[in-house]
Amino acid sequence: MAAEGHAQAAPAGTAAAPTHLDTMVVTGTRGSNRTQFDTLAPVDVFSQEEIQAIESSDLNDVLAQLVPSFVVQRMPMNDGLVFVRPATLRGLSPDQTLVLVNGRRFHRSALLGARGAQGPDLAQIPVHAIQRIEVLRDGASAQYGSDAIAGVINIILDDRVGGEVSLGLSEYSEGDGRGRKVGARHGFALGDAGSLSLFADWDKSDATSRSRQRADAIAFQNAHPELDVPNPVQRWGQPDLENRHAGFNLNLALNDSLDLYGFGLFGHSEGLSDFNWRNPDGTASVYNPSSVFPGWDARSLYPTGFSPKYGNEQDDLQGVFGLRGYIGERWRWDVSASYGRNEIDYSLDNAINASLGPDSPTSFYLGRLSQTEKNVNADVVYSLPLAALDGPLNIAFGAEAREETYAVKAGDPASYAIGPGAATGLAGGANGAPGFSDTNAGSWSQRSRAAYIDVEAPITARWTVGAATRYEHFSAFGESIDGKLSTRFAFTPDVAIRGSVSTGFRAPTPGQLYTQSTQQGLDTVTLQVFTTGRLSPSDPLAVQLGAQPLKPEQSRTASLGLTWKTDAGFSGSVDVYDIKVTDRFSQSAAFAVPAGTPNPLRFTSVSFYTNDFDTTTRGVDVVGSYTTGLGAGRLNTTLGYNYNQTTVDSGRTGVATNDSQRRIFEERLPEHKATLSSQYEIGRWSVLGKLRYYGAWTDSSGNATGDIFQRFGAMSFFDLAVSYKVTDQQTLRIGADNLFDRYPDEASFQASRGLIYSRNAPYDTDGRNVYAEYRIRY
């Protein structure tokens, strides 16, 4: 396909563990008979049983435990990142991994996240509706188009007849973060012609708090004993969050050579998170008296200070319909159209626009972000018999047209207004998160057209080669041509070597090209609120400071691997890779606003998106499995390990001027991550133990005067779950993640804000989570 794999080519009901190397796969190949062991690049396949063995209803957490090179962060009290969490594959940016559902491109989130990355929000895909997940760990832009620099994650929805209902409860050992979830799926047989699967779920998780009272709040309480200051004055932890999902998956044979297919995903979520506390004795921009408002004092509203409450309401939609068919025995064709949309509405409660004085509301609607994507694909596969080859030459070609639109809707005027009190030093805009103004608002689109050809040739019974090339033209910046060469050679039927070289790209999005935003933070030294502006690269002030038009990130990937399987139950693979990314996307260094430049929002500093760095990422993936009988039961042990190191080679705006971003690229994630799990099944009982290991990493936090850093050592966690089959259809599972209730070192450089554990940690920092789940299959 032009941008997608042919997911429906797999037989219905196929599901296997990533170590069952005879599993048919549909990602990374357009052939119809590739198994996981036969692929020219590494593909992990995770079954429904493995997916559901992980307690979380968030697909980000599921993948973080299944895929060694996949890392996701919690990001408490970090604006929209609390709700749309950044996830990375092989240490690259969240938008450098392409996500597919049933082989079709899944749309991006409307949030521009850490360093401006705009990737898909995997939490919008309901976990209980998934039949299996295929993860291609290789550069694949020549096959799939923009974003597939790190690899491809293909989510295959369940289309089987029958159904299940699940109920789950969970809670952290600290007594907070209680979770409740309900999910249901039912597959209807459409005669002998296909199936229609319907699914829906609901989950709700209460907030967690791993906070202690701020020192300045203690001092404020001592200075004002007549007041009752909340303890703690602000909460660091997971947000209050409620999610609802529903959808369908359709496969219908119209006749012997024509199929109709489609799926729909619908999601709605609501969340609430804390922001930093405003100290009445230290926040002059809110609490200082103003001659403009004689007799008025913000203490009349918030005598003990205030911690704004940041609200997020999100609506998500993805719909796909298509036709596919056969012409004779050698031609296959597929045409489809898809529509995806993500909308996020932000609100702020328990806050104030101090510059409006007594006329300010305390609750604000901050505005809406939206991302809309439309895709049309046409694909053809021809199996050409050639006497010189061991089998038919597989030739795939096709085209794609895509349009994506980014839009910003302004918030309430009071959320961004610069009121009369600003002339006397009172801060404008909703304090905590100024709303999107009418100058921020707008709609911006980008169109692309693409064509590709992808060939796989079985040279001999042991040797297969593949080649792909893709041409793509974007309305915003022009064209890109990428290619890929891959090969596999089998020394024996059970041992093979594979390798590939490819080029790739990631196109800047309309949101990255055209939008600007305002953010507030708290300096950990002065404890003063500061305001920063992120400008569009085309903004005149940004251009004055050195901004240049954004261009695509370009990549070159080389990989080499060995894979094996044995009759004794031992199988696995080792793959090394080298990924060079040029013109890598980042946020510029912070610049002071030049003297004499209008600065109505009183920006402490401004920045802009830029093609900042060239980087090299090198690593190795190790996957192994051993299955054997043990006593009256069966033992299955799996190992997944990833070593990943990123080095900044050079900088566009100069490494010297933006050394913080260089260090963040190189050190923000662990270089080592591993999972060792063993499952023992005997009769109706099953016991699963899992050891998770994360190597050392470096934390960072933005301050008014620049980033500050802290190094954290390695951490390991042990998870345990016990399952009992009450009947053949009903299963009860009880377990604990982080069984020994381990916590990392404290984030000393954030202690002034009441934070105990880093909000940027690549693992959960809330301690032991105990859960129970009851599942009925029929």
Side-chain angles (χ1 to χ4, degrees):
M1 296 185 178
E4 288 77 26
H6 195 71
Q8 289 79 8
T14 300
T19 52
H20 296 174
L21 298 183
D22 57 350
T23 301
M24 300 296 292
V25 299
V26 297
T27 309
T29 178
R30 291 183 172 87
S32 60
N33 60 350
R34 288 275 177 231
T35 69
Q36 188 180 352
F37 184 66
D38 294 334
T39 56
L40 307 187
V43 179
D44 293 332
V45 183
F46 301 99
S47 69
Q48 187 178 72
E49 288 72 22
E50 290 175 290
I51 297 165
Q52 294 179 349
I54 296 170
E55 185 275 332
S56 179
S57 58
D58 187 331
L59 184 56
N60 286 293
D61 295 324
V62 172
L63 288 167
Q65 293 200 30
L66 292 176
V67 182
S69 60
F70 190 90
V71 177
V72 65
Q73 298 164 286
R74 279 285 180 194
M75 310 297 283
M77 207 186 294
N78 201 341
D79 297 358
L81 289 172
V82 177
F83 307 104
V84 183
R85 298 158 58 198
T88 67
L89 185 68
R90 289 183 164 177
L92 299 176
S93 296
D95 52 6
Q96 291 175 338
T97 299
L98 178 63
V99 175
L100 311 175
V101 177
N102 282 0
R104 298 299 184 271
R105 179 183 287 266
F106 189 67
H107 59 275
R108 307 176 195 276
S109 166
L111 176 70
L112 275 65
R115 290 167 299 283
Q118 190 184 0
D121 182 8
L122 289 165
Q124 298 301 324
I125 303 174
V127 171
H128 82 281
I130 299 173
Q131 182 172 319
R132 72 178 187 277
I133 301 173
E134 298 181 359
V135 180
L136 170 64
R137 294 180 279 111
D138 197 30
S141 290
Q143 297 166 290
Y144 295 98
S146 178
D147 306 349
I149 290 176
V152 179
I153 298 173
N154 192 5
I155 313 298
I156 311 298
L157 300 177
D158 203 336
D159 62 355
R160 292 172 292 189
V161 175
E164 67 176 34
V165 177
S166 64
L167 306 172
L169 295 172
S170 64
E171 186 173 278
Y172 285 94
S173 293
E174 293 287 334
D176 58 8
R178 178 174 297 178
R180 291 83 77 194
K181 60 181 181 180
V182 180
R185 187 197 70 84
H186 185 77
F188 300 89
L190 302 178
D192 296 327
S195 65
L196 172 64
S197 182
L198 303 178
F199 46 84
D201 70 19
W202 169 86
D203 68 85
K204 188 178 191 306
S205 56
D206 296 339
T208 62
S209 179
R210 301 296 177 266
S211 315
R212 61 171 57 104
Q213 186 66 305
R214 287 170 43 159
D216 62 330
I218 296 174
F220 179 79
Q221 178 69 88
N222 292 335
H224 303 275
E226 75 281 5
L227 299 177
D228 185 13
V229 180
N231 186 4
V233 289
Q234 66 188 56
R235 181 186 56 79
W236 291 95
Q238 300 179 35
D240 286 294
L241 188 62
E242 183 175 5
N243 298 294
R244 295 186 288 273
H245 298 101
F248 70 91
N249 189 25
L250 171 69
N251 287 286
L252 177 64
L254 301 179
N255 56 46
D256 291 342
S257 59
L258 182 63
D259 295 340
L260 170 69
Y261 64 88
F263 70 86
L265 299 173
F266 313 92
H268 177 82
S269 63
E270 298 178 17
L272 190 67
S273 176
D274 277 24
F275 270 3
N276 287 298
W277 178 63
R278 272 59 176 169
N279 184 339
D281 286 351
T283 312
S285 61
V286 174
Y287 285 95
N288 270 9
S290 170
S291 58
V292 177
F293 308 117
W296 178 82
D297 191 328
R299 284 176 173 79
S300 62
L301 282 175
Y302 301 117
T304 61
F306 62 98
S307 175
K309 307 298 181 183
Y310 190 61
N312 172 296
E313 186 170 343
Q314 189 168 178
D315 288 293
D316 197 86
L317 167 68
Q318 177 85 15
V320 172
F321 279 98
L323 292 169
R324 59 172 176 253
Y326 300 85
I327 301 175
E329 297 181 354
R330 304 200 176 278
W331 290 90
R332 289 185 287 130
W333 59 271
D334 192 321
V335 294
S336 65
S338 66
Y339 176 86
R341 186 186 70 237
N342 180 258
E343 293 182 345
I344 308 176
D345 288 282
Y346 292 112
S347 61
L348 196 70
D349 296 324
N350 199 49
I352 190 173
N353 182 334
S355 71
L356 296 177
D359 295 327
S360 172
T362 57
S363 295
F364 303 86
Y365 172 66
L366 303 180
R368 173 185 297 166
L369 303 177
S370 66
Q371 171 78 10
T372 303
E373 299 180 24
K374 303 172 185 176
N375 278 31
V376 177
N377 295 277
D379 308 278
V380 177
V381 179
Y382 177 58
S383 181
L384 174 65
L386 293 175
L389 300 180
D390 184 69
L393 179 69
N394 195 81
I395 305 172
F397 55 93
E400 177 193 36
R402 181 155 56 97
E403 180 181 63
E404 57 179 306
T405 301
Y406 194 81
V408 178
K409 177 184 176 182
D412 296 333
S415 72
Y416 58 84
I418 307 299
T424 60
L426 296 181
N431 204 276
F436 304 117
S437 69
D438 50 1
T439 58
N440 297 142
S443 179
W444 305 270
S445 295
Q446 176 172 258
R447 296 174 301 281
S448 67
R449 304 290 183 268
Y452 77 93
I453 183 168
D454 189 349
V455 178
E456 291 184 13
I459 306 300
T460 69
R462 294 187 176 186
W463 183 28
T464 302
V465 298
T469 187
R470 179 186 180 91
Y471 169 84
E472 193 146 0
H473 184 275
F474 286 80
S475 59
F477 60 83
E479 63 186 26
S480 177
I481 300 176
D482 291 279
K484 182 173 184 175
L485 295 174
S486 52
T487 187
R488 178 185 183 275
F489 182 81
F491 297 105
T492 73
D494 297 328
V495 179
I497 190 172
R498 61 195 178 197
S500 67
V501 293
S502 64
T503 62
F505 74 105
R506 190 202 65 81
T509 68
Q512 294 166 341
L513 288 165
Y514 304 115
T515 64
Q516 58 187 30
S517 66
T518 302
Q519 292 182 312
Q520 289 184 339
L522 187 75
D523 191 294
T524 58
V525 178
T526 66
L527 295 181
Q528 293 298 307
V529 175
F530 62 91
T531 303
T532 61
R534 194 265 301 158
L535 308 177
S536 164
S538 58
D539 182 274
L541 175 56
V543 173
Q544 178 184 336
L545 295 171
Q548 297 180 0
L550 293 179
K551 52 187 176 182
E553 298 171 306
Q554 301 288 342
S555 69
R556 193 277 299 152
T557 301
S559 65
L560 182 66
L562 180 71
T563 183
W564 67 88
K565 59 180 180 177
T566 70
D567 293 336
F570 179 56
S571 60
S573 63
V574 177
D575 293 274
V576 296
Y577 55 87
D578 183 286
I579 307 169
K580 295 186 183 297
V581 184
T582 58
D583 298 321
R584 191 159 176 181
F585 191 77
S586 182
Q587 194 159 332
S588 74
F591 297 92
V593 178
T597 302
N599 188 13
L601 291 177
R602 302 180 186 274
F603 288 138
T604 308
S605 62
V606 295
S607 62
F608 46 85
Y609 293 143
T610 179
N611 295 102
D612 207 353
F613 295 119
D614 297 343
T615 63
T616 298
T617 299
R618 293 188 175 98
V620 58
D621 287 321
V622 179
V623 177
S625 175
Y626 181 64
T627 303
T628 185
L630 181 64
R634 191 163 188 83
L635 178 68
N636 182 36
T637 300
T638 62
L639 168 68
Y641 167 77
N642 172 254
Y643 168 75
N644 192 87
Q645 183 186 60
T646 294
T647 302
V648 172
D649 301 322
S650 62
R652 290 292 178 269
T653 59
V655 174
T657 62
N658 201 4
D659 187 66
S660 291
Q661 288 295 319
R662 176 198 61 78
R663 190 171 180 187
I664 290 170
F665 269 122
E666 294 184 341
E667 301 179 23
R668 66 188 174 89
L669 297 176
E671 291 185 352
H672 302 270
K673 182 171 178 275
T675 302
L676 176 65
S677 65
S678 289
Q679 182 172 10
Y680 184 65
E681 297 178 339
I682 180 169
R684 292 186 176 273
W685 291 92
S686 175
V687 180
L688 174 64
K690 181 183 298 179
L691 180 66
R692 295 179 283 129
Y693 174 83
Y694 299 82
W697 61 285
T698 298
D699 194 10
S700 67
S701 180
N703 255 11
T705 55
D707 288 314
I708 52 178
F709 296 90
Q710 180 179 350
R711 186 72 173 168
F712 288 87
M715 281 291 294
S716 59
F717 305 94
F718 182 72
D719 308 330
L720 182 67
V722 178
S723 299
Y724 177 71
K725 284 191 173 182
V726 181
T727 69
D728 289 343
Q729 290 77 36
Q730 302 179 56
T731 302
L732 173 66
R733 180 165 63 106
I734 298 174
D737 290 341
N738 190 4
L739 179 67
F740 300 115
D741 201 26
R742 299 198 65 206
Y743 289 89
D745 293 337
E746 294 189 9
S748 59
F749 71 156
Q750 297 277 9
S752 60
R753 293 202 275 178
L755 179 145
I756 302 177
Y757 308 108
S758 170
R759 66 177 178 177
N760 299 317
Y763 37 70
D764 191 343
T765 60
D766 286 324
R768 177 172 52 239
N769 184 40
V770 180
Y771 62 88
E773 181 184 68
Y774 200 79
R775 189 176 298 273
I776 303 172
R777 288 189 171 94
Y778 56 89

